[in-house]
Amino acid sequence: MNHVSELGTIITAIVTPFDAEYRVDEAAFVDLMRHLADHGSDGFVVAGTTGEGSTLSDEEHLALVELAIREKPAGTTIIANAGSNDTRHSLYLTERATELGADATLNVVGYYNRPNRRGIVQHYRTVAAATDKPIVLYNIPTRTTLNLDPELLAELAQIDNVSAVKQANTAELQLIDGLEVFAGNDDALARAIEIGGAGGILVASHLVGDQLAELATATPQRRAEIDASLQDLYAVLGVTVNPIPVKAALELAGHPVGGLRLPLVEADDDERAQIRAVLDGLGLLA
């Protein structure tokens, strides 16, 4: 049985819809959030990697967080991305998200400037002192080139308000004293549940949230069956860099969310064909 977290179990790293001029489409965002809440999601990461936070201005970013908090469906939580490789910037985003009423913040560290371990610890000490809300660490070496190994995670867990980790290094997915552990990759959710983790911060939940919610509470046999049935979807959502595939999939499933801001580009014909084939096999096409 998985650990029950106040932040939720099936937490969707929600995409940011754009209109034809690549402005944030607030109405589409609210509609999507409500749809996801009706289909298995009990929490949302806003303006994260999947939400194209890196190409949102601070004003857009915080306005989206404020919108999500104001419009969040009953029984769900809002985790605001507040990550940056500039501690001052992360501090600012964390303070503002806290003031706006976010339930927690998601904080990555170190991409490009690659601090050493002492710098990582000091970064999180500084950011954590700026909030009384839970901080979710984000370990994703493929994007940061740094790994928060289990020993370092255990050290960071001793910092007040550091409460959880989104673990996207599947090879080191394990329980950590003092932290709630969330799978950071869709295909690691079943394993996270098996070891007693809190759930996952996911992308596939845009499309199969009900199945993932069932997986989280199912018997081991049923959990394995659901997980096996979704392997092709997990794989095709990685056919190119996230969030290109999930935005294409949402459009094909009848939930248009617009294009992507450069340097990301929309899925090409081959990628769309692969995505369409998997969605068709799962009965998810509009």
Side-chain angles (χ1 to χ4, degrees):
M1 188 68 178
N2 66 304
H3 166 79
V4 177
S5 171
E6 292 183 357
L7 296 178
T9 301
I10 304 302
I11 300 172
T12 297
I14 189 170
V15 303
T16 298
F18 296 124
D19 66 17
E21 282 73 45
Y22 296 95
R23 297 170 301 202
V24 175
D25 189 333
E26 294 189 348
F29 176 86
V30 172
D31 286 346
L32 179 62
M33 185 169 61
R34 290 172 177 167
H35 169 78
L36 296 176
D38 288 339
H39 293 280
S41 295
D42 52 11
F44 301 96
V45 167
V46 178
T49 304
T50 307
E52 296 176 74
S54 59
T55 52
L56 299 176
S57 69
D58 281 357
E59 292 76 16
E60 291 173 319
H61 183 134
L62 292 168
L64 195 61
V65 170
E66 185 174 19
L67 175 68
I69 292 165
R70 185 171 67 246
E71 298 291 341
K72 73 174 181 178
T76 66
T77 61
I78 302 299
I79 302 172
N81 174 38
S84 175
N85 65 342
D86 175 357
T87 301
R88 293 174 302 172
H89 188 215
S90 187
L91 184 69
Y92 169 71
L93 293 175
T94 300
E95 288 175 336
R96 290 292 294 120
T98 301
E99 292 168 358
L100 291 170
D103 296 290
T105 59
L106 179 69
N107 295 75
V108 74
V109 65
Y111 54 89
Y112 191 77
N113 47 19
R114 302 176 64 199
N116 60 23
R117 291 172 80 96
R118 289 184 293 108
I120 291 170
V121 172
Q122 189 57 42
H123 168 86
Y124 280 117
R125 287 189 192 281
T126 301
V127 172
T131 184
D132 59 356
K133 298 293 186 179
I135 284 179
V136 182
L137 308 173
Y138 189 8
N139 187 37
I140 182 163
T142 58
R143 290 184 183 264
T144 65
T145 76
L146 293 173
N147 182 47
L148 307 182
D149 59 60
E151 181 181 354
L152 179 54
L153 289 174
E155 181 177 354
L156 295 172
Q158 304 307 308
I159 300 172
D160 287 346
N161 302 321
V162 172
S163 302
V165 59
K166 177 184 178 182
Q167 178 57 278
N169 181 359
T170 304
E172 293 184 349
L173 179 63
Q174 63 186 73
L175 297 183
I176 304 292
D177 286 344
L179 293 180
E180 296 180 329
V181 176
F182 291 91
N185 299 315
D186 297 330
D187 60 3
L189 175 63
R191 183 173 159 208
I193 298 299
E194 287 169 5
I195 67 172
I201 297 176
L202 309 166
V203 176
S205 49
H206 283 92
L207 301 155
V208 289
D210 290 324
Q211 293 94 315
L212 295 175
E214 181 186 355
L215 181 155
T217 59
T219 64
Q221 179 178 345
R222 177 59 181 152
R223 181 168 61 241
E225 291 171 354
I226 298 169
D227 189 49
S229 74
L230 298 177
Q231 289 300 312
D232 287 347
L233 179 63
Y234 299 155
V236 85
L237 291 180
V239 69
T240 187
V241 66
N242 179 51
I244 295 171
V246 70
K247 277 199 158 179
L250 281 166
E251 179 188 348
L252 290 167
H255 301 282
V257 290
L260 302 101
R261 288 181 174 176
L262 287 169
L264 298 181
V265 293
E266 295 187 42
D268 64 23
D269 290 344
D270 178 63
E271 291 158 352
R272 287 178 65 86
Q274 293 181 60
I275 295 165
R276 177 185 289 276
V278 172
L279 296 188
D280 189 25
L282 292 171
L284 295 174
L285 288 177

PDB file of all heavy atoms in Angstrom, residues 191-210:
ATOM      1  N   ARG A 191       6.209   0.822  -9.569  1.00  0.00           N
ATOM      2  CA  ARG A 191       7.294   0.476  -8.645  1.00  0.00           C
ATOM      3  C   ARG A 191       7.271   1.379  -7.414  1.00  0.00           C
ATOM      4  O   ARG A 191       7.508   0.921  -6.288  1.00  0.00           O
ATOM      5  CB  ARG A 191       8.638   0.585  -9.367  1.00  0.00           C
ATOM      6  CG  ARG A 191       9.811   0.162  -8.498  1.00  0.00           C
ATOM      7  CD  ARG A 191      11.100   0.119  -9.286  1.00  0.00           C
ATOM      8  NE  ARG A 191      12.242   0.213  -8.403  1.00  0.00           N
ATOM      9  CZ  ARG A 191      13.412   0.725  -8.750  1.00  0.00           C
ATOM     10  NH1 ARG A 191      13.590   1.193  -9.966  1.00  0.00           N
ATOM     11  NH2 ARG A 191      14.401   0.775  -7.889  1.00  0.00           N
ATOM     12  N   ALA A 192       6.995   2.668  -7.609  1.00  0.00           N
ATOM     13  CA  ALA A 192       6.921   3.579  -6.469  1.00  0.00           C
ATOM     14  C   ALA A 192       5.835   3.134  -5.493  1.00  0.00           C
ATOM     15  O   ALA A 192       6.027   3.163  -4.273  1.00  0.00           O
ATOM     16  CB  ALA A 192       6.661   5.002  -6.938  1.00  0.00           C
ATOM     17  N   ILE A 193       4.689   2.734  -6.021  1.00  0.00           N
ATOM     18  CA  ILE A 193       3.607   2.249  -5.161  1.00  0.00           C
ATOM     19  C   ILE A 193       4.037   0.983  -4.436  1.00  0.00           C
ATOM     20  O   ILE A 193       3.788   0.820  -3.233  1.00  0.00           O
ATOM     21  CB  ILE A 193       2.342   2.000  -6.000  1.00  0.00           C
ATOM     22  CG1 ILE A 193       1.847   3.310  -6.648  1.00  0.00           C
ATOM     23  CG2 ILE A 193       1.243   1.370  -5.151  1.00  0.00           C
ATOM     24  CD1 ILE A 193       1.458   4.397  -5.691  1.00  0.00           C
ATOM     25  N   GLU A 194       4.696   0.090  -5.148  1.00  0.00           N
ATOM     26  CA  GLU A 194       5.118  -1.182  -4.557  1.00  0.00           C
ATOM     27  C   GLU A 194       6.035  -0.990  -3.359  1.00  0.00           C
ATOM     28  O   GLU A 194       5.959  -1.737  -2.377  1.00  0.00           O
ATOM     29  CB  GLU A 194       5.827  -2.035  -5.613  1.00  0.00           C
ATOM     30  CG  GLU A 194       4.904  -2.623  -6.661  1.00  0.00           C
ATOM     31  CD  GLU A 194       5.675  -3.235  -7.816  1.00  0.00           C
ATOM     32  OE1 GLU A 194       6.932  -3.288  -7.738  1.00  0.00           O
ATOM     33  OE2 GLU A 194       5.039  -3.658  -8.801  1.00  0.00           O
ATOM     34  N   ILE A 195       6.916  -0.002  -3.426  1.00  0.00           N
ATOM     35  CA  ILE A 195       7.884   0.175  -2.342  1.00  0.00           C
ATOM     36  C   ILE A 195       7.345   1.052  -1.210  1.00  0.00           C
ATOM     37  O   ILE A 195       8.042   1.285  -0.227  1.00  0.00           O
ATOM     38  CB  ILE A 195       9.220   0.749  -2.859  1.00  0.00           C
ATOM     39  CG1 ILE A 195       9.048   2.185  -3.365  1.00  0.00           C
ATOM     40  CG2 ILE A 195       9.815  -0.158  -3.929  1.00  0.00           C
ATOM     41  CD1 ILE A 195      10.365   2.881  -3.725  1.00  0.00           C
ATOM     42  N   GLY A 196       6.107   1.546  -1.360  1.00  0.00           N
ATOM     43  CA  GLY A 196       5.535   2.386  -0.316  1.00  0.00           C
ATOM     44  C   GLY A 196       5.693   3.858  -0.555  1.00  0.00           C
ATOM     45  O   GLY A 196       5.596   4.666   0.386  1.00  0.00           O
ATOM     46  N   GLY A 197       5.931   4.250  -1.813  1.00  0.00           N
ATOM     47  CA  GLY A 197       6.027   5.658  -2.153  1.00  0.00           C
ATOM     48  C   GLY A 197       4.668   6.339  -2.119  1.00  0.00           C
ATOM     49  O   GLY A 197       3.628   5.703  -1.923  1.00  0.00           O
ATOM     50  N   ALA A 198       4.684   7.656  -2.326  1.00  0.00           N
ATOM     51  CA  ALA A 198       3.465   8.452  -2.193  1.00  0.00           C
ATOM     52  C   ALA A 198       2.638   8.495  -3.467  1.00  0.00           C
ATOM     53  O   ALA A 198       1.458   8.841  -3.429  1.00  0.00           O
ATOM     54  CB  ALA A 198       3.827   9.871  -1.772  1.00  0.00           C
ATOM     55  N   GLY A 199       3.235   8.177  -4.612  1.00  0.00           N
ATOM     56  CA  GLY A 199       2.521   8.247  -5.881  1.00  0.00           C
ATOM     57  C   GLY A 199       3.451   8.706  -6.966  1.00  0.00           C
ATOM     58  O   GLY A 199       4.625   8.336  -6.991  1.00  0.00           O
ATOM     59  N   GLY A 200       2.933   9.541  -7.875  1.00  0.00           N
ATOM     60  CA  GLY A 200       3.758  10.008  -8.973  1.00  0.00           C
ATOM     61  C   GLY A 200       3.385  11.412  -9.398  1.00  0.00           C
ATOM     62  O   GLY A 200       2.253  11.859  -9.205  1.00  0.00           O
ATOM     63  N   ILE A 201       4.366  12.108  -9.951  1.00  0.00           N
ATOM     64  CA  ILE A 201       4.139  13.383 -10.640  1.00  0.00           C
ATOM     65  C   ILE A 201       4.319  13.055 -12.111  1.00  0.00           C
ATOM     66  O   ILE A 201       5.431  12.771 -12.565  1.00  0.00           O
ATOM     67  CB  ILE A 201       5.099  14.467 -10.141  1.00  0.00           C
ATOM     68  CG1 ILE A 201       4.829  14.742  -8.659  1.00  0.00           C
ATOM     69  CG2 ILE A 201       4.942  15.747 -10.951  1.00  0.00           C
ATOM     70  CD1 ILE A 201       5.770  15.741  -8.014  1.00  0.00           C
ATOM     71  N   LEU A 202       3.204  13.056 -12.850  1.00  0.00           N
ATOM     72  CA  LEU A 202       3.084  12.279 -14.068  1.00  0.00           C
ATOM     73  C   LEU A 202       2.656  13.116 -15.268  1.00  0.00           C
ATOM     74  O   LEU A 202       2.136  14.228 -15.125  1.00  0.00           O
ATOM     75  CB  LEU A 202       2.063  11.157 -13.847  1.00  0.00           C
ATOM     76  CG  LEU A 202       2.298  10.313 -12.586  1.00  0.00           C
ATOM     77  CD1 LEU A 202       1.081   9.477 -12.271  1.00  0.00           C
ATOM     78  CD2 LEU A 202       3.537   9.436 -12.767  1.00  0.00           C
ATOM     79  N   VAL A 203       2.842  12.532 -16.459  1.00  0.00           N
ATOM     80  CA  VAL A 203       2.406  13.128 -17.713  1.00  0.00           C
ATOM     81  C   VAL A 203       1.282  12.311 -18.342  1.00  0.00           C
ATOM     82  O   VAL A 203       0.307  12.851 -18.846  1.00  0.00           O
ATOM     83  CB  VAL A 203       3.598  13.262 -18.682  1.00  0.00           C
ATOM     84  CG1 VAL A 203       3.145  13.784 -20.046  1.00  0.00           C
ATOM     85  CG2 VAL A 203       4.667  14.182 -18.097  1.00  0.00           C
ATOM     86  N   ALA A 204       1.395  10.988 -18.305  1.00  0.00           N
ATOM     87  CA  ALA A 204       0.379  10.129 -18.915  1.00  0.00           C
ATOM     88  C   ALA A 204      -0.997  10.317 -18.288  1.00  0.00           C
ATOM     89  O   ALA A 204      -2.013   9.994 -18.899  1.00  0.00           O
ATOM     90  CB  ALA A 204       0.797   8.663 -18.808  1.00  0.00           C
ATOM     91  N   SER A 205      -1.037  10.869 -17.098  1.00  0.00           N
ATOM     92  CA  SER A 205      -2.322  11.120 -16.426  1.00  0.00           C
ATOM     93  C   SER A 205      -3.165  12.144 -17.165  1.00  0.00           C
ATOM     94  O   SER A 205      -4.366  12.256 -16.908  1.00  0.00           O
ATOM     95  CB  SER A 205      -2.086  11.562 -14.985  1.00  0.00           C
ATOM     96  OG  SER A 205      -1.119  12.598 -14.920  1.00  0.00           O
ATOM     97  N   HIS A 206      -2.584  12.886 -18.112  1.00  0.00           N
ATOM     98  CA  HIS A 206      -3.383  13.730 -18.988  1.00  0.00           C
ATOM     99  C   HIS A 206      -4.375  12.896 -19.797  1.00  0.00           C
ATOM    100  O   HIS A 206      -5.413  13.397 -20.232  1.00  0.00           O
ATOM    101  CB  HIS A 206      -2.492  14.485 -19.986  1.00  0.00           C
ATOM    102  CG  HIS A 206      -1.764  15.657 -19.425  1.00  0.00           C
ATOM    103  ND1 HIS A 206      -0.491  15.567 -18.901  1.00  0.00           N
ATOM    104  CD2 HIS A 206      -2.113  16.964 -19.312  1.00  0.00           C
ATOM    105  CE1 HIS A 206      -0.086  16.769 -18.507  1.00  0.00           C
ATOM    106  NE2 HIS A 206      -1.056  17.634 -18.739  1.00  0.00           N
ATOM    107  N   LEU A 207      -4.038  11.628 -20.016  1.00  0.00           N
ATOM    108  CA  LEU A 207      -4.790  10.769 -20.934  1.00  0.00           C
ATOM    109  C   LEU A 207      -5.421   9.569 -20.253  1.00  0.00           C
ATOM    110  O   LEU A 207      -6.495   9.122 -20.668  1.00  0.00           O
ATOM    111  CB  LEU A 207      -3.863  10.290 -22.055  1.00  0.00           C
ATOM    112  CG  LEU A 207      -3.225  11.422 -22.871  1.00  0.00           C
ATOM    113  CD1 LEU A 207      -1.929  10.963 -23.509  1.00  0.00           C
ATOM    114  CD2 LEU A 207      -4.199  11.907 -23.931  1.00  0.00           C
ATOM    115  N   VAL A 208      -4.775   9.027 -19.237  1.00  0.00           N
ATOM    116  CA  VAL A 208      -5.249   7.794 -18.595  1.00  0.00           C
ATOM    117  C   VAL A 208      -5.251   7.950 -17.079  1.00  0.00           C
ATOM    118  O   VAL A 208      -4.860   7.041 -16.340  1.00  0.00           O
ATOM    119  CB  VAL A 208      -4.393   6.569 -19.024  1.00  0.00           C
ATOM    120  CG1 VAL A 208      -4.669   6.205 -20.482  1.00  0.00           C
ATOM    121  CG2 VAL A 208      -2.900   6.819 -18.798  1.00  0.00           C
ATOM    122  N   GLY A 209      -5.713   9.096 -16.610  1.00  0.00           N
ATOM    123  CA  GLY A 209      -5.701   9.358 -15.170  1.00  0.00           C
ATOM    124  C   GLY A 209      -6.528   8.363 -14.382  1.00  0.00           C
ATOM    125  O   GLY A 209      -6.139   7.952 -13.283  1.00  0.00           O
ATOM    126  N   ASP A 210      -7.669   7.952 -14.920  1.00  0.00           N
ATOM    127  CA  ASP A 210      -8.506   6.991 -14.202  1.00  0.00           C
ATOM    128  C   ASP A 210      -7.770   5.671 -14.004  1.00  0.00           C
ATOM    129  O   ASP A 210      -7.828   5.062 -12.926  1.00  0.00           O
ATOM    130  CB  ASP A 210      -9.811   6.749 -14.956  1.00  0.00           C
ATOM    131  CG  ASP A 210     -10.746   7.955 -14.915  1.00  0.00           C
ATOM    132  OD1 ASP A 210     -10.774   8.642 -13.876  1.00  0.00           O
ATOM    133  OD2 ASP A 210     -11.443   8.195 -15.908  1.00  0.00           O
TER     134      ASP A 210
END
